[in-house]
Amino acid sequence: MCGIAAYYSRNEENAAASVVTELYAQQHRGQESGGIAASNGREITVRKAMGYIKEGISGEDLKRLSGRLAIGHVRYPTRGTSDLAMTQPYVIETLSGPIYAIASNGDIVNYEEVAGELRVKGVHFSSKNDGELLGRFIVYYHEREGMEIADAIRLLMRRIKGAYSAVFIARDHLYIFRDGWGFRPLTIGQTADGDVAAASESCAMDLMRCENMREVEPGEVVVVTPSKTYFLSAEDGLIKPVFPIRRHCVFELIYFARPDSSQFGEYVYDVRHKIGARLAAYDEFDADVVVPVPDSANFIAMGYASAKGIPFNMGLIRNHYVGRTFIRPDQNSRDEGVRQKFNPLKDFFNNKRVVLVDDSIVRGTTIRKLVRMVKAVGAREVYLRIGSPPVTHSCYYGIDTPDKETLIANLMNVDEICAYIGADSLKYLTIDDLAKCVKQSDRFCYACFNGNYPLPRTAEQRGSAC
Ligand code: AMP
């Protein structure tokens, strides 16, 4: 998970302020901590803080973070410790000072193998974070082996396997690149003044008032210099990465991305709407109301309701100030978190037959509590509809799915899950139908639903994804 951003201003020395705005729009991609690195062309200043980005980066910080070029990151902890040492951007010091910095989003599957090779060459790591590995790889091949930075990035694309969307500063140059599979999103754009912006999600780019905006192609390197921007496709240059096929993360569209973003050639809200309509086709019964688990299932439930002609309503209210219950460490606190996060409307559910819609079931914690809650306030029947196939496998490419052993769909069949949750019926979207909700279904990764991993893990021990 996590979100990244970059801004290169042509005239103003305050790129960091724009990066804060971009990160603010992407706070849903990570709330644990965040950071900004700004370059004045000679050296890089960095500021990292725990918690939300607007609270962590003050006006004083922004004055210190002066420069035309800045990158930033919001972190969602998947693995690794929860402290500032794991927070990006990473600044890499050399004998010339702090002149390199990187922020990345994704998960590298051959972390140990590549880090081991670099260690043998004398490279030291201060963390196990994937972003640091990417940064040190580039800096090693540039500084010690004399490669152009763009070529070092190309070499990285051949050697490093996994998901990475990244922004990298080298003095007054910005490099924006994305792995060849295109697992995680990354968008770039240009303003009327010629400023260049990049962000994980297009909703952040909307705030930058970009005139033209597009996704960074998988395997592409975008280079922004003080005077121009150029684009190197995967086929350019001496070192040619070989990319088999694209593998965009379908779970971004189901759950993770904001509905006002477009990713992988799709409008997120539109895909969710289609998912809901597909689910509706599974049912012949009538019901009184369609209720989403807010906010992630809102558009799925709307799609269901409009396809079936059943009224849509918000029967559950979400407290937006309760953080992610999903990543709490133990089951008791996850249970309590769900209770604090959702509350039913009074007298709303009385004697109603309710289609309750959620985007996914992972451990079953959220939905089990919610079905009980809705029944306790009077719902006569609860038909549970899930906008994704059963999550049976962990993700190795940047989505935080717990170990296989705790995934409920890996432990029980659908009838057993339905009984455990206490719903009157339960239906999941099929993988085939999910594939019909996107334009180019063969370009997506469905590994969390079918275990077909596009890239195997080559080492047991991973670095810390982001
Ligand atoms: P669970 O309670 O473990 O079954 O989690 C399922 C709920 O968490 C769903 O309602 C999703 O909206 C949300 N969710 C699914 N995947 C993730 C994830 N990787 N990180 C955080 N929340 C998630």
Side-chain angles (χ1 to χ4, degrees), residues 160-182:
I160 298 188
K161 304 214 169 348
Y164 46 88
S165 286
V167 286
F168 177 80
I169 298 179
R171 285 200 173 88
D172 58 0
H173 280 47
L174 170 66
Y175 298 80
I176 304 161
F177 61 95
R178 188 171 175 212
D179 68 72
W181 294 266

Side-chain angles (χ1 to χ4, degrees), residues 1 76 251 255 296 324 326 358-366 399-400:
M1 322 261 256
Y76 183 109
F251 206 69
Y255 166 70
S296 46
R324 285 201 194 262
F326 185 86
D358 204 355
D359 61 278
S360 59
I361 302 180
V362 182
R363 300 184 192 90
T365 311
T366 313
I399 292 286
D400 178 28

